Amino acid sequence: MFSFIDKDKRLIDEAMSTELVASCSNEDEIIKFMRYSALEGKRLRGILTLEFAKTFGCSYGEAMPYAIGVECIQAYSLIHDDLPCMDDDDMRRGKPSSHIAFGEANALLAGDALLTHAFSAISESPSAIEHPERAVKAIAILSKFAGYRGMVAGQVMDLEAAEKVVSAEKLSVIHSLKTTALIKAAVLLGCAAAGAEDELCALVENYADGFGRAFQMIDDLLDFNGDYESCELNSYVKVHGEEKTRADAQKAIADARFALSELDKRGYSTEVFYGLLDFLTARMEKKV
Ligand code: GRG
């Protein structure tokens, strides 16, 4: 049912593996640390980039550096998020976190190197030579949504929210910055790779908004073990309860579907994007 996800994931995995190689012996160690964390994951953000680029007329090959860019940012954020000074998690993507495997300093540096490489992947791509304005736009999008106006701001607020009870309104802002911002960046990178018009970018951003909200709610549902006492203060389930979280996730998916229907009306092929929403629903129902 989700074979297109597996196919795109394989393409991104191969491209990341080809991208992250040492060009001289000085780079061996840091490349090893980067590859350890960056060659894993579901690749949902990279898939969004590739598929929106394709929908608006750009080949997978041309769009791949943009997908690599967003996946490098994703990998860096998870390495840093796992550090003892942040969420302090020993396991990530089914294996020991970067700082457990290589020590805290090396994990910090692997994250830094992936963060900075995201911008090299885009700016050194063939697309940047042919369409420099698309690459510049993509870099502006990625730095805005991943930085202090997006994911990093969300992380700062999230750390605070882990310590004290937060209002529903504040939690919604935190999740939109911490999680939805990078998902918006992913879809907008696909638009930028294809040089899509602003009107289309706005519709696609609406899709990402519903997708991102649902994604975080479902992540919180999957983390919930049925015990509200031990549930994290900054979890959607803790603030709203399990039943409402499920209902709100369904509503957010419906909002994303509505955004797609606007693209349908304009004649674009959107089947894969409905498929990705079905994947989120299947995740919520623990079917994938
Ligand atoms: C450290 C600057 C900085 C930011 C960290 C993304 C983030 C901010 C923290 C990660 C912690 C977390 C659980 C965030 C919510 C978003 C989320 C569920 C990320 C995990 O995304 P998946 O499930 O991961 O797509 P994979 O491994 O598939 O890439």
Side-chain angles (χ1 to χ4, degrees):
M1 185 181 177
F2 299 115
S3 55
F4 74 95
I5 295 184
D6 296 335
K7 192 190 99 218
D8 282 6
K9 175 178 151 46
R10 259 198 311 278
L11 287 178
I12 297 169
D13 286 345
E14 279 166 24
M16 291 283 282
S17 184
T18 307
E19 177 82 12
L20 299 175
V21 287
S23 57
C24 64
S25 59
N26 292 347
E27 295 168 2
D28 283 351
E29 279 295 278
I30 182 65
I31 284 285
K32 182 175 86 183
F33 306 148
M34 291 161 81
R35 288 177 66 90
Y36 179 83
S37 296
L39 303 188
E40 309 274 349
K42 293 183 288 302
R43 306 295 193 202
L44 289 179
R45 293 156 193 78
I47 292 171
L48 286 166
T49 302
L50 284 188
E51 292 297 339
F52 274 109
K54 186 172 153 227
T55 298
F56 298 132
C58 174
S59 69
Y60 279 164
E62 258 183 287
M64 190 57 85
Y66 297 81
I68 290 174
V70 75
E71 285 293 334
C72 281
I73 298 280
Q74 165 74 353
Y76 124 76
S77 74
L78 298 180
I79 296 173
H80 282 194
D81 188 63
D82 290 337
L83 287 170
C85 61
M86 299 242 183
D87 255 15
D88 194 8
D89 279 319
D90 287 357
M91 296 292 288
R92 168 67 63 184
R93 294 170 161 174
K95 61 186 192 181
S97 313
S98 181
H99 65 276
I100 299 294
F102 307 116
E104 235 176 290
N106 287 330
L108 188 75
L109 292 165
D112 292 341
L114 284 163
L115 165 62
T116 43
H117 189 71
F119 300 102
S120 299
I122 296 171
S123 58
E124 292 173 12
S125 69
S127 164
I129 296 167
E130 204 179 333
H131 301 290
E133 74 293 349
R134 296 185 188 181
V136 169
K137 188 166 183 189
I139 288 168
I141 290 165
L142 203 47
S143 47
K144 175 180 169 192
F145 285 95
Y148 76 93
R149 291 169 286 176
M151 186 175 72
V152 173
Q155 182 75 350
V156 170
M157 292 172 75
D158 195 54
L159 288 172
E160 194 191 343
E163 305 290 326
K164 61 175 189 221
V165 176
V166 278
S167 66
E169 292 72 29
K170 186 140 187 206
L171 190 71
S172 156
V173 174
I174 293 172
H175 287 173
S176 82
L177 291 167
K178 184 184 83 160
T179 306
T180 307
L182 196 59
I183 290 172
K184 283 191 178 174
V187 301
L188 292 174
L189 286 182
C191 294
E197 291 162 19
D198 289 350
E199 192 214 355
L200 292 174
C201 297
L203 295 178
V204 166
E205 200 173 330
N206 288 340
Y207 169 77
D209 187 66
F211 189 109
R213 284 186 287 121
F215 182 86
Q216 182 61 58
M217 290 172 205
I218 293 166
D219 203 63
D220 287 349
L221 278 168
L222 294 175
D223 279 348
F224 182 58
N225 64 8
D227 172 27
Y228 284 100
E229 279 304 305
S230 61
C231 185
E232 307 257 3
L233 288 174
N234 51 2
S235 158
Y236 201 93
V237 179
K238 177 82 167 185
V239 173
H240 294 277
E242 189 176 5
E243 207 174 312
K244 182 169 162 50
T245 305
R246 214 169 273 284
D248 286 355
Q250 275 153 358
K251 266 191 233 150
I253 288 174
D255 292 344
R257 284 182 172 275
F258 178 75
L260 287 181
S261 71
E262 293 295 313
L263 284 175
D264 295 340
K265 282 185 204 158
R266 288 161 177 78
Y268 291 100
S269 161
T270 53
E271 206 180 322
V272 291
F273 307 114
Y274 285 107
L276 284 165
L277 295 175
D278 291 341
F279 177 77
L280 292 189
T281 304
R283 239 168 103 67
M284 180 158 64
E285 290 162 2
K286 301 193 179 143
K287 289 187 182 153
V288 284

